[in-house]
Amino acid sequence: MTQEVNSLFTNALVLTMDPDFTQYFPGAVAVKEDKIVAVGSEDELKKEYASRAQETIDCKGKILMPGLINAHTHVPMTLLRGLADDLRLDVWLMGYMMPVEREFVSPEFVRLGTLLACAEQIRSGVTTFNDMYYFEEDVAKATAEVGMRAVCGQTVMKFPAPDAASYDDSLQMARDFIQRWKDHPLIVPAISPHAPYTCTAEILRATADVAKEFDVPLHTHLAETAFEVENMRNEHGMPVIPYVKKQGLFEAKVIAAHCVHVDTGEMRTLLHAGAGVSHNPSSNLKLASGFAPVVKMLETGLNVGIGTDGPASNNDLDMFEEVRLAAFVAKAVTNDPTSLPAPWALLMATRLGAQALHIGHLTGSLEVGKRADLILIDISPLHNAPSFKRDPQNAYAQIVYASKSSDVSDVMVNGKWLMRDHQLLTLNEAELLAQAAEIAKKIDVFLIEREQSVLSKLIALGGSLEEESFEVQVKVKIAEADPIIQALQRPEIDVIRERHYREHDVYFFFDDPLQGRLRYREDDFINDSKGTVTNVRSRLTLIGQKREGKLGDEVLLSRSRYLAPASQSLRFYREYFKPKSEVVIEKDRLRWLVLYKDTEFFVNLDQMREPQLGYYLEIKSRTWSRKDAENKAELASELLSVLDATSGEKVTEDYIDIVNEA
Ligand SMILES: [Zn+2]
């Protein structure tokens, strides 16, 4: 029995993207409410529905196909587009994105960024996107208002985030959000542990539990860089995929972004887990993350979609560009121009993408019963003419290799028009652009201020703390080490503990000496009986100017020091702080903690290896009061004579000053 329909699309080249790649030309599609009720030849559908359609759309020979699926993005980052580029992933993320996000990201920011992203994506033929960000409920609200479809993942990670002081808070936010949005017609709520390296094993397990409990997707970044995989091997003795499997992650419906560095065994693990993958060629190319084994993943049977990643690492949300790159890169990497042909590249951006997001039953192809998420593409412009009809493959090639996002003229999601003849119907672009310009101004001011001071850049990384202390330090240059080691056995000295390590200091200097100097210190602790390095400790210290000078013969000084755990590599700090020059000092240090006349001192016996400056003996103590420092300075002098080291040449400078003079 024939039914009433809302829209009848006629005179189109219909690419269904169904499992048989069925095409109809001239073809037609009938839509009733939010669903596709018929797909077929124009003749048949006209007979059936022409008299019963509220609206008949003459597609004028354009391509009618399912809307594109952006399988991985962070939509509010439209507001951070172009903020910091040409940087390595860690410097970009930890040095720029996260500090700016901590300062600026709010529900209003997220809303504006989402609206901008929706406008851009609708114009690029995207009808569904898979997102991960903070305040994800506000992403969901804005997206639903606009009328797009999205999987919205609330971020959970081990660091304090703009929307949550702790991981417990973000986990609770995710639960509440999922419960409130569980049955929404456009939004699929999800949970997003950011990545294995920004989460703990406990967080991964907890997020998988929430995803299972509510049967929602779990969206995360996996195996994006070789560095991530190498760290995982060093810390846990296995690559990323087995590690997250061990934490129970694959018990959930996983959407894994990137998977650049995975082997065939890991691909099978992903397949058995039913995990979807998002391939993000622009982001991987721009951040030089590597080349995802896309062809192998597809051969394995994985649902691999295509994503733009966030607009701050792409820098746009143009899926046409992304699909073309996916095809081109796959050909170059396999050295085979037949790899990833156009129909498959387009399939990744439609049906496979929807399947990767675990919403293949809803969208991704033009099939009866699926939601009416569809687009019209004009293939008549100069850059895409002429058209050949001999081989049905030509239509896919026209879209993948020559179409531009600006060729998308009309977009419908869930049976509702979002764009007609290039006009956005649910968004005001001019207003959104003006608001974005205002926020950009504020972020510029914030960063200009921060970049002026080494200290504020250090604080922006988080975790630093100031310490101002009095430091008693007696240092002498000595000829030999052995007599000192012997003298330490004298009865008036009580050795509490002894350490041996190689200290490797890199000092960063800046144009303005008032900025102080930054020391990256790495201590390699040595087990003397085995001669092996037992552990490595890294610290970052910003050493300010001295505030007080000498006291008598000894050095008593007060200075500010800002300590931060050096959780990143030396290379990271070098690229982040951009020092004017660097000096490296390496020494072999024997260190004793001793008790002399009821007072604790550190005795450091240093052999300067880089540069080779011989032996130095240092007696040190740090204290918080000036009075205490004066007493200790006297005792330190005494201790020097007990160690028979008073004949050595006294030095009142730090090593870096000694080295600079030498
Ligand atoms: Zn991402």
Side-chain angles (χ1 to χ4, degrees), residues 72-74 132 221 224 257-258 280 283 309-310 313:
H72 173 67
T73 186
H74 312 279
M132 173 199 297
H221 296 101
E224 180 173 0
H258 300 302
N280 313 293
S283 169
D309 208 348
S313 58

Side-chain angles (χ1 to χ4, degrees), residues 562-597:
Y562 294 85
L563 301 171
S567 50
Q568 306 295 327
S569 65
L570 174 61
R571 192 264 309 145
F572 171 92
Y573 295 117
R574 181 177 290 136
E575 292 178 9
Y576 176 66
F577 285 105
K578 300 191 185 83
K580 182 186 156 210
S581 61
E582 289 180 35
V583 172
V584 175
I585 298 180
E586 242 183 80
K587 51 188 176 254
D588 195 79
R589 168 170 281 186
L590 286 167
R591 158 175 272 212
W592 293 269
L593 175 62
V594 304
L595 205 59
Y596 176 70
K597 292 195 173 171

Side-chain angles (χ1 to χ4, degrees), residues 476-487 590 592 604-607 613-617 643-645 647-648:
V476 290
K477 186 162 178 25
I478 55 168
E480 291 175 280
D482 283 348
I484 303 293
I485 298 171
Q486 300 292 323
L590 286 167
W592 293 269
N604 297 329
L605 186 57
D606 294 337
Q607 185 189 4
L613 290 172
Y615 290 97
Y616 286 86
L617 174 70
L643 292 172
D644 284 338
S647 61

